[in-house]
Amino acid sequence: MKRSLFLLGIAAAFSFYGCQNEVRPNEIGDIQPEQIQRVLIWGETSTTCVNCGFGALQVEQLTAIFGNNVIPIMAHLGDAMEQPIGLEMLPNFQSTTQPNFYINATDTQDTIDVVEVAELVEQSPLAGVGHKWEDKGFGRIRIIPKVEFFSNTEGEFFLGTYILSGDIEAKGMFVQPDVDNILDTTQVNNETVTFWSQTQTDIFGNPVVLANEPFYHKYVLFRAAHDDAFGELLPGQVIRAEDTFFKEYEVQLPLNFDTEGMHVVSILWRFENGEYTYVNGYMQ
């Protein structure tokens, strides 16, 4: 593994904890797209992966550094958190190992380069993405994603919207093995529980995880709001600056899905040469 590249790069069956039938009072998110370039961190992981604790640590460090300017999506493969949407999107993110990361459209294998992420965040966006969503109770959520273009362009663009589960504690069937001395396990009430083995910091020395704290699977891809994995094609292939597009979805989730901790992600994809390339996105 290229662990040193990350540390030296700069001097970035689910959480079903009971029924969530109460209506969230306010809409969540900002539907007005901002002129900010956000970076997609697509990760492939599994509870059968003995090096994925290192991958999770990198994501913790990135979110501590860049906040909402990075959009982590973790697709679980071959474990209890695997979902059809992850398998449908997998051909677009070819990999042979776990963990494996893509930074926007670039395969970076098991290591995330902080310098690369910082440079991408500073770029001027072709378009911005926003959304708002509302918990309507009894597992129903309403999502309205919106995209606005800031420059003239041409091509096929798709707007996709995805639901990520709330944090899933790594215990029982979700235990995470580790050979890098990043995670460890113990027995609590006759159940195996995963925890962080030592305090870890970001590049500025600020703690991002604490020793002996429980380890959680975060940003786990659960489903899309639409039938096609990469969303719906925007009308027209000649697009002008200030052109805006939006969709509206109402999604029925399992009644015991934890909407309190979930994330909604909206992504603008460009389709060309048989592949979907990340343009920009928004997570809230």
Side-chain angles (χ1 to χ4, degrees):
M1 284 189 198
K2 298 168 286 187
R3 297 172 177 77
S4 61
L5 293 178
F6 179 78
L7 298 176
L8 299 176
I10 196 171
F14 272 80
S15 53
F16 293 165
Y17 301 132
C19 291
Q20 295 287 320
N21 293 335
E22 296 182 1
V23 176
R24 305 270 293 270
N26 300 313
E27 293 177 336
I28 298 167
D30 185 355
I31 195 171
Q32 183 58 43
E34 297 179 287
Q35 203 159 347
I36 295 172
Q37 182 62 56
R38 298 184 173 92
V39 178
L40 173 66
I41 310 297
W42 171 275
E44 295 168 18
T45 185
S46 174
T47 56
T48 63
C49 166
V50 296
N51 301 119
C52 285
F54 171 62
L57 174 59
Q58 292 183 84
V59 173
E60 292 280 1
Q61 292 169 320
L62 280 174
T63 55
I65 296 166
F66 296 105
N68 292 334
N69 287 337
V70 292
I71 300 174
I73 299 179
M74 304 303 294
H76 278 252
L77 305 172
D79 65 15
M81 290 171 281
E82 179 183 283
Q83 292 293 321
I85 182 61
L87 298 177
E88 291 170 19
M89 298 180 76
L90 187 60
N92 204 70
F93 300 97
Q94 295 289 339
S95 66
T96 58
T97 61
Q98 289 180 347
N100 196 90
F101 293 103
Y102 274 74
I103 308 304
N104 289 354
T106 302
D107 183 356
T108 64
Q109 300 181 25
D110 65 358
T111 303
I112 304 171
D113 187 334
V114 180
V115 172
E116 179 182 358
V117 174
E119 291 173 349
L120 290 171
V121 167
E122 292 300 316
Q123 292 183 352
S124 297
L126 171 66
V129 182
H131 66 231
K132 61 181 180 181
W133 66 274
E134 178 185 6
D135 182 355
K136 300 177 73 67
F138 298 95
R140 291 181 302 117
I141 61 170
R142 177 174 173 262
I143 310 169
I144 304 177
K146 179 181 178 181
V147 60
E148 178 179 351
F149 285 83
F150 304 127
S151 302
N152 299 339
T153 188
E154 295 183 9
E156 293 183 81
F157 292 90
F158 287 74
L159 180 56
T161 298
Y162 307 91
I163 295 164
L164 312 184
S165 76
D167 297 350
I168 302 167
E169 188 171 0
K171 63 180 181 179
M173 66 189 300
F174 303 120
V175 163
Q176 185 67 52
D178 180 71
V179 296
D180 297 315
N181 196 32
I182 291 172
L183 304 175
D184 207 344
T185 58
T186 189
Q187 293 292 313
V188 177
N189 298 325
N190 297 317
E191 187 173 43
T192 304
V193 176
T194 312
F195 61 91
W196 295 100
S197 63
Q198 53 191 303
T199 296
Q200 303 279 358
T201 65
D202 61 21
I203 55 173
F204 305 110
N206 302 312
V208 294
V209 297
L210 300 178
N212 302 316
E213 278 194 341
F215 173 76
Y216 291 88
H217 302 285
K218 296 184 177 181
Y219 311 110
V220 178
L221 181 60
F222 181 66
R223 64 160 294 177
H226 30 71
D227 294 332
D228 293 329
F230 290 90
E232 297 188 39
L233 178 66
L234 301 184
Q237 295 189 23
V238 177
I239 296 173
R240 304 299 182 192
E242 299 186 358
D243 281 354
T244 59
F245 306 88
F246 71 93
K247 303 288 183 180
E248 182 171 349
Y249 301 103
E250 187 160 309
V251 180
Q252 180 65 55
L253 298 171
L255 288 178
N256 56 352
F257 188 85
D258 181 17
T259 58
E260 187 65 34
M262 71 178 233
H263 299 279
V264 174
V265 174
S266 293
I267 292 178
L268 179 67
W269 306 98
R270 182 198 291 268
F271 183 71
E272 56 185 351
N273 301 322
E275 294 185 348
Y276 294 88
T277 303
Y278 174 84
V279 177
N280 209 348
Y282 177 74
M283 180 175 74
Q284 187 66 52

